[in-house]
């Protein structure tokens, strides 16, 4: 594996883990607590992160439509929590999405072009970077929300 790809994947995995783990030790009520006007909750952030994995690594690589993948059509809807969403279930779905992303990219190099992204064809490197940016942003959101929730 090229060093660049290994480095990008290491950073992605660090942020994937941090976001996944933001739910550890919380009650279901705490994980669902809404502290901002948007739909952003800790549970919703992790659910959204699974959506992000599927958009960038399933849709972009396989060129399958979101309806076939089984994900919402818009990012905003990926934050919506169903009555059946639990910490355990959302974390499991997130882990499975991350594992599927790793498998999907395992034979690809940074310069391999993915044709299923809505922005048009992009090399894998230019898929890794926005995912990393988004995960880092959401890790920051999760840190602030968790601090507010656990300080109560």
């Amino acid at each position: 594996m090229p060093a660049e790809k290994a480095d990008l994947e290491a950073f992605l995995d660090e942020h994937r883990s941090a976001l996944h783990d933001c739910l550890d030790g919380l009650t279901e009520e705490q994980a669902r607590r809404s502290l901002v006007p948007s739909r952003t909750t800790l549970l919703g952030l992790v659910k959204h992160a699974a959506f992000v994995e599927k958009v960038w690594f399933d849709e972009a690589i396989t060129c399958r439509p979101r309806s076939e993948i089984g994900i919402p059509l818009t990012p905003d809807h990926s934050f919506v929590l169903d009555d059946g969403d639990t910490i355990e279930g959302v974390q499991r779905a997130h882990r499975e999405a991350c594992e599927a992303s790793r498998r999907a990219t395992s034979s690809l190099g940074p310069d391999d072009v993915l044709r299923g992204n809505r922005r048009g064809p992009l090399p894998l490197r230019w898929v890794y970077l926005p995912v990393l940016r988004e995960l880092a942003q959401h890790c920051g959101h999760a840190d602030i929300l968790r601090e507010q929730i656990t300080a109560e």
Side-chain angles (χ1 to χ4, degrees):
M1 174 185 307
E4 176 189 17
K5 183 177 178 188
D7 291 345
L8 289 167
E9 288 184 356
F11 281 111
L12 279 173
D13 282 340
E14 180 181 338
H15 287 81
R16 285 168 170 154
S17 293
L19 199 52
H20 172 277
D21 295 348
C22 78
L23 298 172
D24 289 352
L26 297 179
T27 66
E28 296 292 336
E29 184 277 326
Q30 288 173 316
R32 288 173 166 273
R33 189 169 303 156
S34 178
L35 300 170
V36 293
S38 70
R39 293 180 173 159
T40 306
T41 63
L42 286 172
L43 193 62
L45 280 170
V46 179
K47 186 174 181 178
H48 171 71
F51 165 85
V52 168
E53 294 284 337
K54 291 176 182 182
V55 166
W56 286 99
F57 297 112
D58 189 337
E59 182 180 40
I61 291 171
T62 68
C63 301
R64 296 186 311 154
R66 292 179 186 190
S67 59
E68 185 179 320
I69 296 169
I71 57 175
L73 295 179
T74 66
D76 190 48
H77 286 104
S78 69
F79 286 91
V80 175
L81 298 175
D82 301 324
D83 290 342
D85 286 328
T86 64
I87 292 170
E88 180 182 346
V90 169
Q91 282 183 317
R92 180 178 51 254
H94 179 252
R95 280 192 308 274
E96 289 170 358
C98 293
E99 290 166 9
S101 296
R102 289 185 202 96
R103 283 191 306 274
T105 59
S106 64
S107 65
L108 300 175
D111 294 319
D112 286 338
V113 175
L114 309 182
R115 305 220 175 269
N117 187 277
R118 291 176 178 217
R119 291 177 176 88
L122 295 170
L124 179 61
R125 150 187 317 103
W126 289 102
V127 169
Y128 279 147
L129 294 172
V131 173
L132 182 57
R133 179 195 66 223
E134 184 157 355
L135 292 177
Q137 178 182 8
H138 291 321
C139 282
H141 297 149
D143 285 346
I144 291 167
L145 291 174
R146 186 173 170 100
E147 182 180 335
Q148 290 176 320
I149 289 167
T150 58
E152 293 178 347

